[in-house]
């Protein structure tokens, strides 16, 4: 397994922007989608993130919308007692916010190897942006606690060659779901061969999958975006 630092070519230069919230939509009991008006001179590549500045706190969020969309959609977990996410969950339409960006290198790289996207929770955000910008034919594993957390499933399924919902805290509701962690599926179900893995979300998932890739999927590349 080789961990790759992608080239800077094509990446946009970060700037500082003032904008406002145009929509705040609940996705599940502990996640919501915040839409910001896209400033006229802001552009980004699918998979990049911005750093939001609100109420004297700065936090990174991957952009879930495609670059061609009018608004900037962020898929945010409401962290219990979290300083910023709890305030954003309650923020009204029209609220002014600032951000810097775009930041990051977690963009899709065309390759001869099949792409496997692995997300935990709101780690699905950059994969939504990639799917919305025309990336298709990938395998996507979304690790969540219950089916209610499978936000964006209907959209992503239209672009994925395979969509696997891994439920860690509930029994599968239908054949499209599997019980257990994303690592269980990768270890037991994904045929061994080289892939391009894109991993986004919790660092323990990223560590475990990276170890598994070394063990089982030699010759693969691994791209990562750690949320916490
Ligand atoms: C590169 C990058 C991209 C990110 N993109 C996203 C994104 O698209 N969507 C998103 O929801 N978050 C994302 N995050 C996490 C986000 O930046 C914040 O850390 C998160 O919203 C918590 O901020 P807070 O101020 O509410 O909590 P804080 O007061 O900063 O932290 C409270 C506690 O919650 C823990 N924590 C942080 N994030 C989470 C989480 N997601 N779930 C559970 N516990 C957490 C922290 O480790 C800390 O112990 C990203 C982080 C990074 C570094």
């Amino acid at each position: 397994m080789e961990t790759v630092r992608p080239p800077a070519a094509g990446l946009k230069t970060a700037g500082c922007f003032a904008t406002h919230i145009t929509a705040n939509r609940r996705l599940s009991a502990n996640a919501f989608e915040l839409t910001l008006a896209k400033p006229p001179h802001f552009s980004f590549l699918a998979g990049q993130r911005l750093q939001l500045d609100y109420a004297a706190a700065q936090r990174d969020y991957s952009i879930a919308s495609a670059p061609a969309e009018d608004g900037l959609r962020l898929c945010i977990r409401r962290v219990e007692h979290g300083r910023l996410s709890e305030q954003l969950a309650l923020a009204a339409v029209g609220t002014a916010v600032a951000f810097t960006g775009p930041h990051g290198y977690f963009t899709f790289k065309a390759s001869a190897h099949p792409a496997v996207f692995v997300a935990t929770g709101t780690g699905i955000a950059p994969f939504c942006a990639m799917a919305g910008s025309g990336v298709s034919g990938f395998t996507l594993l979304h690790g969540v606690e219950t089916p209610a957390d499978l936000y964006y499933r209907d959209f992503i399924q239209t672009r994925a060659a395979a969509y696997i919902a891994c439920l860690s805290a509930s029994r599968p509701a239908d054949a499209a779901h599997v019980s257990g962690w994303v690592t269980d599926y990768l270890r037991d179900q994904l045929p061994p061969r080289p892939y391009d893995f894109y991993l986004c979300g919790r660092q323990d998932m990223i560590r475990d999958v990276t170890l598994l890739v070394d063990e089982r999927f030699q010759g693969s590349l691994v791209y990562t975006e750690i949320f916490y």
Side-chain angles (χ1 to χ4, degrees):
M1 183 275 296
E2 187 184 341
T3 301
V4 170
R5 294 202 181 281
L11 293 173
K12 315 287 182 182
T13 309
C16 193
F17 300 89
T19 184
H20 63 278
I21 295 170
T22 59
N24 191 345
R25 178 170 78 95
R26 187 177 156 126
L27 296 173
S28 74
N30 57 16
F32 58 100
E33 183 187 73
L34 206 63
T35 307
L36 310 179
K38 184 152 76 173
H41 301 296
F42 177 71
S43 62
F44 66 99
L45 298 177
Q48 287 191 290
R49 63 181 189 265
L50 51 75
Q51 186 174 75
L52 207 55
D53 188 343
Y54 179 67
Q58 295 79 37
R59 298 288 185 273
D60 290 300
Y61 294 105
S62 293
I63 303 169
S65 47
E69 283 181 43
D70 287 341
L72 293 172
R73 289 185 290 116
L74 309 176
C75 170
I76 302 178
R77 181 184 170 104
R78 184 175 182 161
V79 175
E80 201 177 355
H81 308 304
R83 182 164 161 212
L84 186 56
S85 62
E86 286 224 316
Q87 293 192 71
L88 292 174
L90 303 172
V93 168
T95 300
V97 297
F99 71 85
T100 64
H103 301 291
Y105 307 98
F106 193 67
T107 55
F108 182 75
K109 288 95 187 162
S111 155
H113 292 162
V116 179
F117 296 167
V118 185
T120 51
T122 53
I124 196 76
F127 302 130
C128 270
M130 292 178 195
S133 70
V135 176
S136 63
F138 49 84
T139 293
L140 184 134
L141 277 72
H142 193 185
V144 295
E145 291 187 352
T146 71
D149 298 315
L150 295 170
Y151 19 86
Y152 304 123
R153 170 173 54 175
D154 292 348
F155 168 67
I156 293 226
Q157 274 181 326
T158 65
R159 305 292 199 277
Y163 173 95
I164 299 111
C166 299
L167 307 180
S168 59
S170 70
R171 294 170 62 84
D174 59 47
H177 303 146
V178 296
S179 287
W181 304 101
V182 293
T183 39
D184 297 331
Y185 182 91
L186 293 172
R187 183 185 307 105
D188 302 336
Q189 310 275 346
L190 191 71
R193 56 158 294 172
Y195 297 92
D196 285 355
F197 286 94
Y198 292 76
L199 316 177
C200 185
R202 296 166 57 134
Q203 59 185 334
D204 53 355
M205 176 278 282
I206 289 171
R207 182 201 57 225
D208 292 349
V209 173
T210 302
L211 290 172
L212 194 57
V213 169
D214 273 342
E215 206 177 280
R216 187 172 159 83
F217 305 106
Q218 279 155 18
S220 295
L221 299 180
V222 178
Y223 303 95
T224 61
E225 185 79 314
I226 297 174
F227 278 10
Y228 71 103

